Amino acid sequence: MAKIFAGFLFVFLNFNLNFNNGASGSLNLLPDFVGFILLYLGTQQLRQETERYHQAKPWLLGLAVYSGIVWVMNLMGRTGSWLAVVLSLVAAVATYYATWLVIKGFDDIEKKNSVGIAADECMRIWKICAILNIVAMAFSWVPVINILLVLGMVVVTIMLLVSINKTRKLYEGYTMLRHGPEHQGPEF
């Protein structure tokens, strides 16, 4: 579950260094491809818990490859074509579908094991994040509204990460109890 949390951290947070105002390229310090690889590894560790993690596998691997290529292209300053815009929209939809599968898997884990790991909270915040992102894309041409939406996205993204970390701790606590005292518990 720690890999899933770290994966969401890399996918949903972006810290970019721009070279020559972006004309020479940019470096994302938390690359999405690393996040998708971590999400893939985390879901594979928990694949016995839910079928959704089997369904997420091709999406997460495809997004890892795509975002790795985009990361290299951005580093070299090769961006801005209409095809890149269309592909980024498709990737955004695929990202939200893949992360929905992961979050929905938390609900499956709760039901399968009759344990509360705050899956509803994660899903509720994930939905707000997705809606804000869609609205931000639609109003990206209105600077004042876009700035407010971006600030809202920062707050909601932090809330999502806190919620996923809570789910991680609850799941790790549950597995410690399920498997007995020989297993280490969650780090708080």
Side-chain angles (χ1 to χ4, degrees):
M1 189 68 81
K3 289 178 184 164
I4 290 175
F5 170 73
F8 271 96
L9 184 78
F10 274 81
V11 170
F12 280 86
L13 287 182
N14 292 306
F15 295 104
N16 294 312
L17 292 177
N18 291 318
F19 308 113
N20 195 18
N21 287 332
S24 299
S26 66
L27 173 66
N28 185 348
L29 300 176
L30 296 173
D32 289 351
F33 72 90
V34 172
F36 289 119
I37 291 169
L38 288 168
L39 283 170
Y40 166 75
L41 294 172
T43 56
Q44 291 308 291
Q45 284 179 337
L46 298 174
R47 68 183 178 271
Q48 75 284 355
E49 296 278 7
T50 174
E51 179 62 29
R52 289 188 204 278
Y53 292 162
H54 294 283
Q55 296 169 355
K57 179 180 177 178
W59 292 95
L60 295 171
L61 291 175
L63 285 163
V65 170
Y66 168 78
S67 60
I69 292 168
V70 169
W71 186 81
V72 170
M73 298 299 286
N74 286 339
L75 190 59
M76 297 185 322
R78 307 272 190 229
T79 60
S81 74
W82 66 271
L83 181 61
V85 172
V86 170
L87 289 175
S88 69
L89 290 173
V90 171
V93 171
T95 296
Y96 276 99
Y97 178 68
T99 56
W100 175 82
L101 286 171
V102 175
I103 299 277
K104 195 65 177 158
F106 297 164
D107 187 51
D108 295 345
I109 291 169
E110 278 188 338
K111 289 176 182 163
K112 176 182 178 185
N113 298 296
S114 299
V115 63
I117 59 170
D120 286 344
E121 178 184 329
C122 287
M123 183 57 78
R124 185 176 51 255
I125 297 170
W126 178 91
K127 286 177 181 176
I128 294 168
C129 194
I131 290 167
L132 272 177
N133 196 20
I134 291 165
V135 172
M137 281 191 227
F139 288 100
S140 62
W141 55 276
V142 182
V144 175
I145 294 174
N146 194 37
I147 289 171
L148 293 173
L149 289 168
V150 168
L151 291 174
M153 281 292 299
V154 169
V155 171
V156 172
T157 298
I158 291 169
M159 289 172 56
L160 178 64
L161 293 171
V162 167
S163 180
I164 292 169
N165 193 46
K166 178 181 176 182
T167 295
R168 176 190 67 82
K169 290 177 185 178
L170 289 169
Y171 179 78
E172 289 174 357
Y174 160 73
T175 58
M176 183 181 78
L177 292 173
R178 179 175 69 180
H179 295 297
E182 68 275 0
H183 288 73
Q184 288 186 328
E187 291 184 28
F188 290 95

